[in-house]
Amino acid sequence: MTSASLNPAPKPFDQRKRMVVVRVAALMAVLLLLFAEPFLAEGSQAHEFVEMFGLGLVLICVGGRLWSTLYIGGRKNSELISMGPFSMTQNPLYFFSTLGALGIGLIYGSVLAALALGLASFIVFRVTAGKEAEFLSGKFGDAYEAYRRKTPRFWPNPLLFQDNAERQFSTHALKRTFYDGLFFLALFPAIETIEYLRMNGFLPKLFVLF
């Protein structure tokens, strides 16, 4: 009996919990904002600038996740994807999701909230990416190892960008990613509502969040 027959076949990592953790963290942060006043005065020019910058990051997150899904949707565990956004970073979906988490904090006008959400997302996705790397290494062997050596794990390198002339994609996966993106976008009006209620005296100001 060979050693290969003794080792179990690699199994894909169950990723369903990764976005759940990020969503729960974001919702908890929004609930915290019910009692916290941002350091930058709401309605001020500085607050509006930071808020719009955060919204920009959320829009980049949604667009980037949709772009990445065009390449990997429906093929994540059956094909080694190395074109498009995956030629610049091994984990573009996680990179864009982390930008979205940062953006949510900035929409509120808090650098501390942005850093906390961004760090939480980064840790969750780093653990997930490590598990996925184990599976992909076991499934694709030398081809994956060669890809991993030349492609950054998280931070994209635009100089490495490569693409194909044509690409088939899964409409089901694209629709699911779009719905995921709506969660990020929905937090913007939620935070705006909280700001309105606080500015009009309907919510307490228990502490300042930098």
Side-chain angles (χ1 to χ4, degrees), residues 35-112:
F35 309 103
E37 181 181 13
F39 174 72
L40 295 173
E42 293 164 323
S44 69
Q45 189 173 13
H47 179 89
E48 293 300 313
F49 174 79
V50 172
E51 185 179 80
M52 289 300 102
F53 185 75
L55 179 60
L57 289 182
V58 170
L59 293 175
I60 291 173
C61 161
V62 175
R65 285 180 55 82
L66 289 171
W67 180 39
S68 301
T69 301
L70 288 175
Y71 287 80
I72 204 169
R75 296 186 293 274
K76 189 174 182 70
N77 296 317
S78 60
E79 182 180 340
L80 181 58
I81 307 298
S82 59
M83 292 288 108
F86 292 88
S87 64
M88 299 185 295
T89 169
Q90 298 173 38
N91 298 284
L93 283 163
Y94 300 159
F95 171 76
F96 288 120
S97 295
T98 301
L99 288 186
L102 283 168
I104 291 169
L106 292 177
I107 286 174
Y108 183 67
S110 170
V111 174
L112 183 60

Side-chain angles (χ1 to χ4, degrees), residues 143-164:
Y144 175 72
E145 292 303 322
Y147 167 71
R148 183 159 64 172
R149 283 193 297 270
K150 70 177 183 180
T151 311
R153 186 174 185 181
F154 186 78
W155 299 105
N157 181 355
L159 298 178
L160 298 176
F161 182 78
Q162 300 180 49
D163 206 355
N164 292 328

Side-chain angles (χ1 to χ4, degrees), residues 183-199:
F183 171 81
F184 287 97
L185 292 174
L187 291 178
F188 177 68
I191 293 173
E192 288 292 293
T193 300
I194 290 173
E195 289 184 358
Y196 173 82
L197 293 174
R198 183 170 38 256
M199 291 175 67

